[in-house]
Amino acid sequence: MQPIWKPTARHPACGAKRGGGRLIGRTKGGMSIKLHAVTNTAGRPIRFFMTAGQVSEYTGAAALLAGLPKAEWLLGDRGYEADWFREALKDKGIKPCIPGRSSRGKPVKNDKRRYKRRSRIEIMFGRLKDWRRVATRYDRCPEVFLSAIALAATVMFWL
């Protein structure tokens, strides 16, 4: 008679025992994540960083700041509007094109014509969500999900 192997308990896909986590945060809209991206002028993604939904955009900005390529301008939305981020960009020789928040005391000058080009980034995110695996996030592990995003970006934009 052969022994029958039956697991007593299933291991979680990315449980706390292995140091992982789902990296999904609670927001007003429910459970979500934030994907921060750096693209080139054509809207092709270069770098990604993922945070939980309730985490501030400043965390993603700080993580992607060191790996920014040489550029003349950086377009970003209001979530990335901070004095320290603007100064860090200027230290790298990059001119920020980020509109000021409405709660900011002193208004910031912004090139509105150049800022309209940010739609290329929004189009890139829309194309990434055309992949069902990315749009619905089937993967529990953040590493596997980020790998799926990188694969989708490579196939769609670089091949």
Side-chain angles (χ1 to χ4, degrees):
M1 187 165 170
Q2 290 190 348
I4 299 173
W5 181 78
K6 184 176 180 185
T8 56
R10 287 186 55 194
H11 293 285
C14 246
K17 291 181 181 177
R18 291 194 279 158
R22 292 187 64 179
L23 197 71
I24 295 178
R26 183 165 298 282
T27 61
K28 287 185 204 176
M31 304 298 277
S32 68
I33 61 161
K34 284 184 187 172
L35 185 64
H36 309 272
V38 175
T39 65
N40 62 10
T41 56
R44 290 179 164 182
I46 298 170
R47 295 202 188 333
F48 289 111
F49 186 73
M50 193 170 56
T51 59
Q54 79 275 10
V55 176
S56 171
E57 277 87 355
Y58 300 145
T59 306
L64 291 172
L65 187 62
L68 284 177
K70 284 194 88 153
E72 187 178 346
W73 288 88
L74 182 124
L75 307 178
D77 65 359
R78 284 187 168 92
Y80 296 98
E81 196 275 319
D83 290 332
W84 67 267
F85 188 56
R86 289 179 187 278
E87 290 301 319
L89 290 174
K90 287 178 185 174
D91 291 345
K92 287 182 147 282
I94 301 172
K95 299 174 194 170
C97 184
I98 304 169
R101 294 180 186 244
S102 58
S103 62
R104 187 177 182 92
K106 191 170 96 175
V108 177
K109 285 189 146 190
N110 185 33
D111 187 356
K112 291 181 181 179
R113 198 176 85 225
R114 187 175 303 273
Y115 185 71
K116 286 183 181 180
R117 295 183 187 165
R118 201 178 65 84
S119 65
R120 294 176 187 167
I121 299 167
E122 299 298 332
I123 291 169
M124 183 269 306
F125 278 117
R127 286 187 61 195
L128 276 178
K129 289 181 180 179
D130 285 345
W131 279 45
R132 185 174 173 195
R133 181 179 198 97
V134 172
T136 57
R137 185 168 177 181
Y138 289 128
D139 307 306
R140 293 183 71 187
C141 294
E143 293 88 5
V144 176
F145 181 62
L146 198 57
S147 300
I149 289 169
L151 178 65
T154 302
V155 169
M156 284 192 298
F157 295 100
W158 294 101
L159 295 183

